[in-house]
Amino acid sequence: MITNKSTNDELHIVMFPHFAFGHIAPFIQLSNKLSVHGIRVSFLSSPGNIPRIQSSLLPHIQIIPVSIPSVDGLPPDLENTSKMTPAMAELLTKAVDLMQPQIKILLSKLNPHFVFLDFSQHWLPKLSSELGIKSAWFSVFSAISGAYLTVPARSANGNIPTVDELLTPPKGFPSTAVTSVKAFQATDFSYIYKSFHDNPSVFNRLLECVNSCNAVIIKTCNEMEGPYIDFMKSQLKKPILLSGPLVPESPSGELDEKWEKWLSQFPSKSVIFCSFGSETFLTHDQIHQLSLGLELTGLPFLLVLNFTSDETDPQTQLQRALPEGFMKRVENRGIIHSGWVQQPLILAHDSVGCYLNHSGFSSLIEATMNDCQLVMLPFKGDQFLNSKLLAMELKAGVEVNRRNEDGYFGKEDINEAVRKVMVDVEKDTCKAIRENHSKWRDFLLNEDIQNKFIADLAEELKALV
């Protein structure tokens, strides 16, 4: 049952994230936190995603199903990007564009005060404005990635930036430790400026969102990203509100007996947990070098790997990718797993001392709030800049070294990065990283600070209405 705008002063917001769990999760976190501050939330998503969303949203938040239109080449049973190839993901974005009539009818019935949208719904600010509804683009990306990649300065005179231009920050970028990126990273960045299937590029979608919406909300805070936020304000010339880093609640429930039993056999803070999220897929050569690197550390490890839906059986893929004799050599201290795991409970386990990850912004926040050291191995897009923020600006972790031209990393690169935070504990570099990690952990776990971010955002939204 759809309920519409309240007759009292209760602010009503409709949330419409992109169909990727890396985007959906921050929208869920923001929904929960705003609802505690007296704001009513309605959450839009496709039916296939709702069971997972429902388990995370607070019970009083209304979930409304929306249907994804059919598009040639897009399997009808795939309703999020977690098992999609990049080509399929582009088709999903094309399907989102076909949702406009459906969303217009829905918003007319709901009549909320605000709709929070994602980058893929660049058409939604104008549509909502026609209905007398305000809109806000909720950026789930870090401010450093927005400042480096998606400000108007990147398209001077309307030109698409070249790979060479993407090696360095845009004009006016703040003077920080981030002065350049590697060649393979700049090549990866060029993706967001390209158009596929006659769709607007990610960059053009973002600019249209910004130009047409009433406000921009960024999942960050001044304490962590002040210079980059200030640069975005000067570039976007739009009210920019901050949600804070959206620290997740402490995990509830119990860790599965299988993982609890295995982790508990090792000393405190000795295990490497290595996971790259549901949408980062390593090549066989990368898996080969990563696994050999973990073996070289001499430490116990839990490695989680996932594969796209067009691959053969995950176990078969693992057998092909892993070095010969590897499982036998590490059988007493290493586990390789494919599929979902209870990541929050694993990170919180006393035996886990290191988190080797892909540098998704939400994953970095989740890791920093736990007492495990950060080793970052980013693979695409904003991950490269998130890693630089943590390693170079906040100095709370270390990034795996990779070759400039193609991003190659070997087993020694993995071993060296892990050693810096897990083995060389008496060295000044390791001590400094651990001290900084502890400082930022205290900041993220300070409930008064984190609650104030949301309270301030709620008041700012009410003022805009």
Side-chain angles (χ1 to χ4, degrees):
M1 178 179 176
I2 294 176
T3 54
N4 60 9
K5 189 183 291 180
S6 178
T7 55
N8 58 27
D9 293 331
E10 181 185 42
L11 190 66
H12 183 196
I13 297 174
V14 167
M15 298 281 184
F16 189 16
H18 184 57
F19 297 120
F21 278 105
H23 291 243
I24 292 171
F27 272 78
I28 289 174
Q29 291 172 330
L30 184 58
S31 298
N32 287 340
K33 292 178 184 295
L34 286 175
S35 72
V36 174
H37 285 264
I39 293 176
R40 185 153 65 89
V41 176
S42 299
F43 202 99
L44 308 185
S45 195
S46 57
N49 296 324
I50 287 178
R52 185 166 166 184
I53 291 170
Q54 205 158 26
S55 66
S56 301
L57 275 176
L58 292 176
H60 58 271
I61 294 176
Q62 181 184 26
I63 304 176
I64 300 171
V66 292
S67 59
I68 300 176
S70 61
V71 172
D72 288 344
L74 184 64
D77 59 326
L78 295 184
E79 297 186 17
N80 62 71
T81 59
S82 63
K83 294 296 181 182
M84 289 185 178
T85 62
M88 286 182 187
E90 289 295 339
L91 289 173
L92 179 62
T93 304
K94 186 173 185 176
V96 169
D97 289 342
L98 300 177
M99 298 179 71
Q100 296 179 53
Q102 175 188 179
I103 299 302
K104 186 172 185 178
I105 293 170
L106 192 55
L107 290 179
S108 298
K109 292 178 180 178
L110 288 167
N111 193 27
H113 298 93
F114 252 108
V115 58
F116 285 14
L117 58 129
D118 214 326
F119 80 95
S120 57
Q121 303 101 336
H122 63 296
W123 40 265
L124 190 47
K126 290 181 180 177
L127 185 153
S128 60
S129 179
E130 293 171 2
L131 300 173
I133 300 167
K134 293 188 182 296
S135 61
W137 169 44
F138 176 38
S139 172
V140 303
F141 303 106
S142 59
I144 186 176
S145 62
Y148 195 101
L149 294 172
T150 58
V151 290
R154 274 299 183 200
S155 61
N157 303 317
N159 295 326
I160 296 174
T162 64
V163 170
D164 283 347
E165 288 170 336
L166 291 170
L167 286 169
T168 53
K171 186 177 180 180
F173 191 80
S175 178
T176 66
V178 181
T179 57
S180 65
V181 299
K182 293 190 174 183
F184 80 95
Q185 296 170 334
T187 300
D188 180 88
F189 290 157
S190 66
Y191 176 89
I192 70 169
Y193 306 94
K194 296 177 181 177
S195 175
F196 300 88
H197 311 294
D198 297 322
N199 281 350
S201 66
V202 170
F203 179 72
N204 285 336
R205 285 175 183 271
L206 287 173
L207 286 191
E208 188 169 347
C209 282
V210 170
N211 291 335
S212 306
C213 69
N214 298 98
V216 174
I217 302 170
I218 309 178
K219 179 185 172 291
T220 191
C221 59
N222 283 304
E223 290 84 348
M224 299 180 82
E225 297 196 89
Y228 306 111
I229 294 167
D230 290 341
F231 180 57
M232 289 189 73
K233 286 179 178 178
S234 70
Q235 281 281 303
L236 303 185
K237 304 186 187 307
K238 184 78 60 171
I240 291 185
L241 314 180
L242 306 177
S243 69
L246 297 181
V247 178
E249 300 296 323
S250 298
S252 58
E254 294 183 356
L255 188 60
D256 286 350
E257 183 181 357
K258 168 188 175 181
W259 300 121
E260 175 63 38
K261 183 178 179 180
W262 187 81
L263 287 170
S264 296
Q265 66 181 308
F266 300 107
S268 176
K269 308 303 172 197
S270 65
V271 177
I272 304 167
F273 175 52
C274 184
S275 176
F276 303 98
S278 60
E279 298 181 25
T280 299
F281 311 108
L282 280 64
T283 65
H284 285 191
D285 184 60
Q286 288 170 338
I287 294 172
H288 190 96
Q289 293 300 322
L290 172 63
S291 55
L292 287 176
L294 291 172
E295 182 183 0
L296 273 179
T297 68
L299 296 169
F301 62 88
L302 165 56
L303 171 59
V304 180
L305 296 168
N306 289 307
F307 302 91
T308 57
S309 60
D310 63 342
E311 300 277 15
T312 55
D313 174 70
Q315 291 304 316
T316 303
Q317 291 293 312
L318 281 175
Q319 290 173 8
R320 293 175 181 171
L322 292 174
E324 185 176 351
F326 175 77
M327 293 306 300
K328 180 67 175 175
R329 296 195 303 271
V330 301
E331 63 179 349
N332 294 320
R333 64 176 177 91
I335 287 186
I336 315 273
H337 176 79
S338 183
W340 181 81
V341 293
Q342 297 165 288
Q343 179 164 302
L345 289 169
I346 291 173
L347 286 172
H349 196 282
D350 181 65
S351 293
V352 175
C354 178
Y355 180 32
L356 201 166
N357 68 93
H358 62 305
S359 300
F361 199 39
S362 293
S363 291
L364 290 179
I365 297 300
E366 185 179 28
T368 306
M369 65 177 280
N370 282 286
D371 189 17
C372 53
Q373 303 308 307
L374 279 167
V375 174
M376 293 162 286
L377 183 59
F379 284 94
K380 58 186 176 183
D382 63 305
Q383 296 171 5
F384 297 123
L385 294 159
N386 298 339
S387 182
K388 292 184 184 301
L389 175 71
L390 264 289
M392 300 173 68
E393 290 289 303
L394 306 185
K395 301 183 186 302
V398 62
E399 183 176 338
V400 174
N401 182 52
R402 298 178 70 174
R403 197 158 61 195
N404 177 65
E405 61 272 20
D406 60 2
Y408 174 84
F409 63 88
K411 59 185 180 182
E412 293 290 355
D413 298 309
I414 299 294
N415 182 39
E416 181 183 358
V418 171
R419 287 188 63 88
K420 283 182 181 178
V421 293
M422 289 290 285
V423 179
D424 300 332
V425 293
E426 297 302 319
K427 292 188 176 180
D428 290 344
T429 300
C430 182
K431 288 179 179 178
I433 290 173
R434 286 178 172 240
E435 287 173 3
N436 287 324
H437 182 281
S438 180
K439 179 186 76 171
W440 288 111
R441 180 172 182 254
D442 290 344
F443 172 77
L444 294 175
L445 293 179
N446 187 312
E447 292 186 9
D448 291 339
I449 292 174
Q450 302 306 322
N451 287 338
K452 191 175 187 305
F453 289 139
I454 301 299
D456 289 348
L457 175 60
E459 290 306 311
E460 290 170 322
L461 291 170
K462 291 172 183 175
L464 283 174
V465 170

